[in-house]
Amino acid sequence: MLNQTSVTAFLLLGVTDIQALQPYLFVVFLAIYVVIVVGNGAVVLVVVSDPRLHLPMYFFLGNLSCLDICYSTVTLPKMLENFFSTHKAISFLGCITQLHFFHFLGSTEAMLLAVMAFDRFVAICRPLHYSVIMNYQLCTQMAVTVWTIGFFHALLHSMMTSRLNFCGSHQIHHFFCDVKPLLELACGNTELNQWLLNTVTGTIAMGPFLLTLLSYFTIIISLFSKTHSCSALHKALSTCASHFMVVIVFYAPVVFTYVSLASGSSMQDQVAAIMYTVVTPMLNPLIYTLRNKDVKAALNRIFRRRDDLSIFRAHF
């Protein structure tokens, strides 16, 4: 990726320019980042260490938690640093790198949520064939596929953005480097970049969302046609509730940001970006641990083993 301009750095103006608020925001976002790392790290630990959770659903959940840790790490540490920084600069290479990993992990998460919806579809609509269809090889292939597509989708954006000419102000009215605010600073023809953002990114974002909705629509139709007991219907739908809540929390701000025609430097876009880069990774482990009995039971077993080990060491 060759930089054809003389720009060497950008200035990230952040979420606010009110100095009095920045120490408080630092504390809030630092606490959120700790919750994200600890919460999602606990989910990954439980999924890896507990043999009872070595199932396709939890394999994908572990991938989602790993994604959320990395996703928030792309933006939050730089945001926290800038709360106490006077110049708030990010190098050109650093900006393009941040843009790349932001789109890499974001698009991967969108596709992974669709894969998780497919897993629930097979589990509910094809229960007798679930273990045959959702075998280890297929689960691994789907996970590798979404990570690979996400990487090359982001590489396309980072390469095209790095070749733009930038003139005038180098101030980015955002707390991280993204395509939309960078296009605001570019001079020359950006039609191809706009097309990539609207068409390619829009397809990668909305395609999995529509597939997810289709999966849940098929699940509901199948359940109503086969299940006449309200309790059985509620039990079946409850297995999808956690995932559907995560889908809604993730896609609501994404749809607002990339489908709307609002400027990439607007305050509305920053609020939406905070939702899917900060709030969503924090809520995901809470949603799954509070609503999933298997995850809660696995966490309790880990804590009991730790307590038993402490008692054993105290006696010896």
Side-chain angles (χ1 to χ4, degrees):
M1 295 182 291
L2 297 175
N3 177 14
Q4 296 180 350
T5 74
S6 59
V7 62
T8 59
F10 293 100
L11 297 179
L12 293 171
L13 298 185
V15 293
T16 180
D17 57 357
I18 304 175
Q19 293 295 326
L21 288 177
Q22 296 193 6
Y24 300 102
L25 290 175
F26 174 84
V27 173
V28 170
F29 284 108
L30 178 61
I32 292 175
Y33 186 52
V34 171
V35 171
I36 291 171
V37 174
V38 173
N40 286 285
V43 172
V44 173
L45 176 63
V46 166
V47 170
V48 171
S49 62
D50 195 319
R52 296 178 181 85
L53 300 184
H54 291 176
L55 300 170
M57 174 181 175
Y58 300 109
F59 170 73
F60 295 126
L61 176 58
N63 273 263
L64 179 65
S65 295
C66 182
L67 267 172
D68 282 337
I69 293 173
C70 298
Y71 198 29
S72 59
T73 301
V74 170
T75 57
L76 270 175
K78 187 63 180 176
M79 178 201 286
L80 293 172
E81 175 192 339
N82 285 344
F83 280 132
F84 291 104
S85 175
T86 56
H87 57 279
K88 305 180 186 300
I90 183 171
S91 68
F92 182 87
L93 180 59
C95 187
I96 297 299
T97 302
Q98 188 181 54
L99 179 153
H100 172 81
F101 281 98
F102 172 76
H103 281 272
F104 167 34
L105 298 168
S107 58
T108 300
E109 181 160 343
M111 291 181 286
L112 182 63
L113 290 174
V115 170
M116 295 173 74
F118 173 73
D119 170 72
R120 292 299 84 205
F121 164 77
V122 177
I124 294 174
C125 298
R126 302 289 187 272
L128 298 179
H129 302 93
Y130 178 73
S131 58
V132 176
I133 297 174
M134 299 301 294
N135 56 68
Y136 175 79
Q137 182 179 4
L138 179 63
C139 291
T140 304
Q141 288 174 345
M142 287 194 293
V144 171
T145 298
V146 297
W147 282 83
T148 303
I149 293 174
F151 177 84
F152 284 105
H153 161 250
L155 185 63
L156 187 62
H157 274 302
S158 56
M159 289 180 65
M160 294 302 299
T161 306
S162 68
R163 296 176 181 275
L164 291 174
N165 293 308
F166 295 95
C167 50
S169 174
H170 294 157
Q171 295 180 345
I172 299 176
H173 293 267
H174 217 309
F175 61 92
F176 68 94
C177 289
D178 196 6
V179 175
K180 289 181 74 176
L182 283 174
L183 292 182
E184 293 287 323
L185 305 180
C187 51
N189 192 342
T190 61
E191 288 184 1
L192 180 56
N193 299 79
Q194 291 283 2
W195 180 85
L196 288 173
L197 186 64
N198 295 332
T199 305
V200 178
T201 302
T203 301
I204 286 182
M206 298 309 299
F209 179 59
L210 295 176
L211 290 175
T212 300
L213 292 182
L214 179 62
S215 296
Y216 279 114
F217 178 77
T218 307
I219 288 171
I220 293 171
I221 296 299
S222 176
L223 287 175
F224 274 111
S225 63
K226 296 179 181 178
T227 305
H228 302 287
S229 168
C230 292
S231 60
L233 181 64
H234 178 268
K235 183 179 180 181
L237 288 176
S238 66
T239 64
C240 303
S242 298
H243 177 258
F244 191 69
M245 289 174 64
V246 169
V247 169
I248 296 301
V249 171
F250 178 80
Y251 270 106
V254 169
V255 170
F256 175 85
T257 301
Y258 288 101
V259 174
S260 70
L261 298 178
S263 169
S265 61
S266 68
M267 179 56 67
Q268 290 86 348
D269 277 353
Q270 291 197 48
V271 172
I274 289 174
M275 285 295 299
Y276 60 77
T277 62
V278 179
V279 177
T280 300
M282 178 185 67
L283 291 180
N284 284 353
L286 297 177
I287 292 172
Y288 276 105
T289 54
L290 291 177
R291 295 191 57 88
N292 191 293
K293 295 180 180 179
D294 293 335
V295 175
K296 286 194 290 187
L299 284 170
N300 289 332
R301 285 191 293 270
I302 288 179
F303 287 131
R304 281 200 301 269
R305 286 200 298 267
R306 188 192 65 177
D307 293 340
D308 293 342
L309 182 59
S310 300
I311 294 172
F312 177 81
R313 287 176 176 174
H315 281 84
F316 294 95

